[in-house]
Amino acid sequence: MVGLLRSHDINPTHQRIEIAYVLFSRQEHLSADQVMALVNTHHSETSKATVYNTLKLFVEKGLVRELIVDPSKVFYDPNTHPHHHLYEINTGKLSDIGAEYMQVSGLPPLPAGTVIEGIDLIVRVRRAS
Amino acid sequence: MVGLLRSHDINPTHQRIEIAYVLFSRQEHLSADQVMALVNTHHSETSKATVYNTLKLFVEKGLVRELIVDPSKVFYDPNTHPHHHLYEINTGKLSDIGAEYMQVSGLPPLPAGTVIEGIDLIVRVRRAS
DNA sequence: GTATTGATTTGGACTTTGTCTAATGTCTGG
DNA sequence: CCAGACATTAGACAAAGTCCAAATCAATAC
């Protein structure tokens, strides 16, 4: 874990290691709230501000991917390999779609002076009524 | 405008007409906040609750499309034809990508009992540094 | 060991977006 | 003109996230 952080140019402090561990030990999409809860399961150790700071740092350093899918909260995905997402509207459940299932082709003209940061493909499903 | 609402099975009240007008007269992506401000430019006419209620109704009835792209607010898109979106991370600016520029192929296995509600393709760009 | 210094963490106040509720207003068919 | 259904409203509330100044920590210098 320490090595992973160092290799992404992140100073491995106690709190950062804890948060990275929570994200990478289970391969799930977690919200800041959930990270907060998981890090502090035993005794409260890490503040809300630190959790938010750290997640932002991880995103900047490319350690995790930020998912903007749920209208009310951001999710963080420890898997940074190319893949897509499936979101169940009713439940808020989020799961992966392997890159082999769906492909994106073509690129739009970009506004002058901008570069692509990422391409998000999200399949939204609803429970059939 | 009244006809448009009726054709989507929406009772055309004064407030709904105003809100629809704001959305459809300019072809832009607006947040609830912006709709609120635009509807109430002259004298305050429409409450926050109504704006939110109405936008939700419009989405349910398929009159506008809900865009979850910005981490802090939902945008509403009066264009319901198939197209994609380009989001400038630095500025929060959102623009359309014509369906002809990018294509999505393939479909993932869906969880049992669910149907596709929509597929969102978002290109995120950042100002080159 | 102790001091220094910059980086990190923290509690808590604050902001923003959106929801909820109970009361009120409006419209329509008979 | 009345009943009932539907729509709107103000304002309280909730949840997610930001901000800031103070406290703490970690690493190095001496």
Side-chain angles (χ1 to χ4, degrees):
Chain A
M1 202 82 308
V2 171
L4 181 64
L5 294 180
R6 286 235 170 78
S7 73
H8 282 80
D9 197 22
I10 296 169
N11 192 353
T13 65
H14 176 53
Q15 287 87 340
R16 289 171 180 174
I17 293 166
E18 286 286 314
I19 292 172
Y21 179 75
V22 160
L23 283 164
F24 287 93
S25 67
R26 73 209 81 217
Q27 274 292 0
E28 274 179 43
H29 311 97
L30 299 176
S31 66
D33 252 26
Q34 292 175 304
V35 170
M36 177 85 173
L38 288 169
V39 164
N40 292 332
T41 23
H42 302 311
H43 9 66
S44 187
E45 299 154 14
T46 304
S47 74
K48 183 168 63 149
T50 298
V51 170
Y52 279 96
N53 288 344
T54 301
L55 289 172
K56 195 162 125 231
L57 180 71
F58 283 3
V59 170
E60 279 167 19
K61 298 295 189 182
L63 189 59
V64 303
R65 178 168 160 193
E66 191 182 37
L67 300 180
I68 298 171
V69 164
D70 182 294
S72 71
K73 50 182 118 186
V74 174
F75 281 90
Y76 296 89
D77 187 348
N79 178 1
T80 54
H81 300 126
H83 67 287
H84 315 301
H85 293 98
L86 186 142
Y87 180 72
E88 296 188 42
I89 294 174
N90 310 284
T91 60
K93 201 166 156 303
L94 187 56
S95 49
D96 281 344
I97 299 172
E100 67 274 20
Y101 287 110
M102 304 182 77
Q103 292 82 35
V104 174
S105 59
L107 269 189
L110 303 186
T114 64
V115 294
I116 289 185
E117 174 75 14
I119 295 179
D120 293 350
L121 179 58
I122 299 150
V123 177
R124 285 171 204 281
V125 302
R126 139 181 338 276
R127 202 134 288 278
S129 49
Chain B
M1 202 79 312
V2 172
L4 181 64
L5 293 180
R6 286 236 171 77
S7 74
H8 281 80
D9 197 21
I10 296 169
N11 193 353
T13 64
H14 175 53
Q15 288 87 341
R16 288 171 181 174
I17 294 166
E18 287 286 315
I19 292 172
Y21 179 74
V22 160
L23 283 164
F24 286 94
S25 66
R26 71 209 81 216
Q27 272 294 358
E28 275 179 42
H29 310 98
L30 299 176
S31 65
D33 252 26
Q34 292 174 305
V35 170
M36 177 85 174
L38 289 168
V39 164
N40 292 331
T41 23
H42 301 311
H43 8 67
S44 188
E45 300 153 12
T46 303
S47 74
K48 185 167 62 147
T50 299
V51 170
Y52 279 97
N53 288 344
T54 301
L55 289 172
K56 197 164 122 228
L57 179 71
F58 284 4
V59 169
E60 279 167 19
K61 298 295 190 182
L63 189 60
V64 302
R65 177 168 160 192
E66 190 182 39
L67 299 181
I68 298 171
V69 164
D70 182 295
S72 71
K73 50 182 118 185
V74 173
F75 282 90
Y76 296 88
D77 187 347
N79 178 0
T80 54
H81 300 125
H83 66 286
H84 316 301
H85 293 97
L86 186 142
Y87 179 74
E88 297 189 41
I89 295 174
N90 310 283
T91 62
K93 200 165 158 303
L94 187 56
S95 49
D96 280 344
I97 299 173
E100 66 274 19
Y101 288 110
M102 303 182 78
Q103 293 81 35
V104 174
S105 60
L107 270 189
L110 303 186
T114 64
V115 294
I116 290 185
E117 175 75 15
I119 296 180
D120 293 351
L121 180 57
I122 299 150
V123 177
R124 287 171 202 281
V125 303
R126 136 180 342 275
R127 201 134 288 279
S129 50

